[in-house]
Amino acid sequence: MNIKDKSQIDLFKTKIHNSQKVIIVPHNNPDGDALGSSLGLYNTLKNMGKEVTVITPNEFPDFLNWMHGVEDVIIYDKNIKKAKKLISDSELVLFVDFNALSRIKLMGEVFESDETPRIMIDHHPFPEANTADIQISVPEASSTCELLFHVLNEAGFKEYITREAAECIYAGIMTDTGSLNYNSSRPETYLIVAELLRMGIDKEHIHHMIFHNNSFDRMRLLGHALGEKMERIPDQNAAFISLSQDELKQFNFKPGDTEGFVNQALWIEGVNLSALFTEKKDLVKISFRSRGGFPANKFSETYFNGGGHFNAAGGESKLTLDETVKRFKTVLKEFCEANEFN
């Protein structure tokens, strides 16, 4: 794995050795890679005798509740006073799976004034300079969990990665690659998976808990999304799903219930771009997935205040859900006419 500045690993190692009270923070709406890297790091540092706390900006999906240490996670928007005290008392803060303070919403305001040393470990492109003092950024990594394993190994901390930590790391790799279906063409990814298997992880159990442990309501929501809300745009080789707040309420939506929905349209022959529009209280959350030469990150950054990876990106819109979908159709045609894709 190409970490351009190897001194970053040495600085990471030194900071860990010299710090006792450590805070770990993933991005808002934590997914498998965010929580997996947080708890993989949490368990590893706990095994080193550190006082470690994971603070998530908001709730995470129920299907991640099996991870070791999850019961100790502090949810910031439900425990603001306690979280702020923990941060102010800490000696080191570790940011995982994000590279801009805006990605942790209200928590970002805390770190704009907090002077605790910060280290970022992330695989998203174009990190913002003010995010952390030490920035370990490798966009070609399949996931932050893959990068984390490499960092821990290079720092000489591999012996502290127990089976429990390894299971969290494996979960992040699997969720961010769709079970190694995309963003996983590098041999290093599979070598790390092999290492995790040697550590004794229960691969079948992890897959069951993440992918085969759906609620009845989630499956009904997926059926509704595919049967009633999926639309195809043949001229641009695209398809999308839009879900309103009323529809989410109808199916007793819980955080994480739409995880993976955006991938569904890519199973259709001829579809190279899939989008999911989810109506929130004050904005529309957008997810993009693509295959082939369609740059999902460039499209999202250009039109929807977003960004991400070449084939996996996110964005948002302040327009209504209907207006957002209408704009998507318009700008997609414009974008495709202005560019050529393989």
Side-chain angles (χ1 to χ4, degrees):
M1 187 176 296
N2 182 25
I3 297 179
K4 294 179 180 179
D5 187 353
K6 297 294 184 180
S7 67
Q8 300 292 77
I9 299 291
D10 293 331
L11 289 170
F12 167 80
K13 182 177 181 178
T14 300
K15 287 290 186 183
I16 293 296
H17 277 309
N18 294 338
S19 303
Q20 183 61 25
K21 295 182 179 180
V22 182
I23 299 295
I24 302 170
V25 180
H27 60 70
N28 194 61
N29 297 321
D31 56 10
D33 192 28
L35 195 64
S37 54
S38 295
L39 289 174
L41 188 52
Y42 166 86
N43 285 298
T44 302
L45 296 183
K46 289 278 283 187
N47 295 332
M48 295 174 67
K50 306 296 181 181
E51 298 177 39
V52 195
T53 305
V54 174
I55 304 177
T56 63
N58 60 352
E59 286 188 299
F60 45 84
D62 287 345
F63 66 80
L64 301 175
N65 272 332
W66 57 270
M67 290 187 184
H68 189 74
V70 74
E71 67 279 359
D72 296 325
V73 172
I74 303 295
I75 300 173
Y76 181 81
D77 64 6
K78 291 186 175 182
N79 299 277
I80 293 177
K81 186 175 180 180
K82 181 177 182 180
K84 285 184 174 180
K85 181 69 165 57
L86 286 165
I87 293 169
S88 67
D89 290 345
S90 67
E91 299 166 346
L92 180 65
V93 176
L94 300 170
F95 289 160
V96 294
D97 203 35
F98 71 94
N99 59 16
L101 292 180
S102 60
R103 293 284 281 118
I104 53 176
K105 300 300 180 180
L106 290 176
M107 284 189 74
E109 299 175 3
V110 176
F111 291 107
E112 285 177 357
S113 57
D114 184 80
E115 296 182 356
T116 306
R118 303 197 297 257
I119 300 175
M120 180 198 84
I121 303 174
D122 180 61
H123 74 133
H124 296 92
F126 314 118
E128 291 188 357
N130 68 330
T131 305
D133 311 293
I134 300 169
Q135 302 197 99
I136 302 174
S137 175
V138 183
E140 60 264 32
S142 72
S143 55
T144 294
C145 277
E146 178 188 338
L147 174 58
L148 173 65
F149 185 91
H150 181 74
V151 169
L152 292 173
N153 184 46
E154 289 293 306
F157 299 155
K158 183 180 175 181
E159 64 180 295
Y160 300 105
I161 305 176
T162 58
R163 177 180 58 80
E164 291 82 6
E167 287 183 339
C168 297
I169 293 170
Y170 179 80
I173 295 173
M174 287 301 106
T175 52
D176 242 33
T177 63
S179 294
L180 301 175
N181 282 324
Y182 49 83
N183 198 30
S184 54
S185 58
R186 298 169 59 258
E188 290 88 345
T189 304
Y190 296 86
L191 292 173
I192 287 176
V193 168
E195 286 284 334
L196 298 172
L197 288 168
R198 290 190 189 98
M199 291 176 174
I201 66 170
D202 188 339
K203 178 175 70 70
E204 286 74 19
H205 175 69
I206 296 171
H207 280 257
H208 172 77
M209 294 304 293
I210 293 176
F211 301 111
H212 308 138
N213 195 28
N214 298 300
S215 68
F216 183 66
D217 285 328
R218 182 181 187 273
M219 295 306 291
R220 290 180 65 239
L221 176 60
L222 176 59
H224 173 73
L226 296 177
E228 303 296 330
K229 301 307 302 288
M230 181 180 286
E231 296 184 41
R232 191 174 181 183
I233 311 175
D235 290 346
Q236 278 77 52
N237 298 316
F240 68 90
I241 295 168
S242 62
L243 295 169
S244 68
Q245 282 196 301
D246 287 341
E247 288 170 311
L248 296 175
K249 289 177 183 177
Q250 179 185 344
F251 295 97
N252 301 311
F253 174 80
K254 292 183 179 179
D257 276 357
T258 56
E259 187 76 22
F261 281 21
V262 68
N263 299 320
Q264 297 291 323
L266 288 181
W267 296 7
I268 302 170
E269 184 179 1
V271 170
N272 293 327
L273 174 69
S274 174
L276 174 67
F277 302 92
T278 309
E279 185 181 39
K280 302 294 184 180
K281 186 177 179 180
D282 55 353
L283 57 80
V284 175
K285 179 186 174 185
I286 310 170
S287 296
F288 296 108
R289 297 292 184 273
S290 68
R291 59 184 174 188
F294 191 97
N297 54 354
K298 182 179 178 183
F299 178 71
S300 180
E301 181 181 342
T302 302
Y303 299 105
F304 293 104
N305 302 306
H309 302 287
F310 190 88
N311 294 126
E316 62 183 33
S317 168
K318 297 289 187 176
L319 302 174
T320 67
L321 181 61
D322 288 342
E323 289 170 339
T324 299
V325 169
K326 183 177 180 180
R327 182 168 188 267
F328 166 69
K329 293 177 179 179
T330 300
V331 298
L332 177 61
K333 181 179 180 181
E334 173 187 308
F335 189 75
C336 289
E337 288 176 349
N339 298 275
E340 293 185 7
F341 311 114
N342 296 324

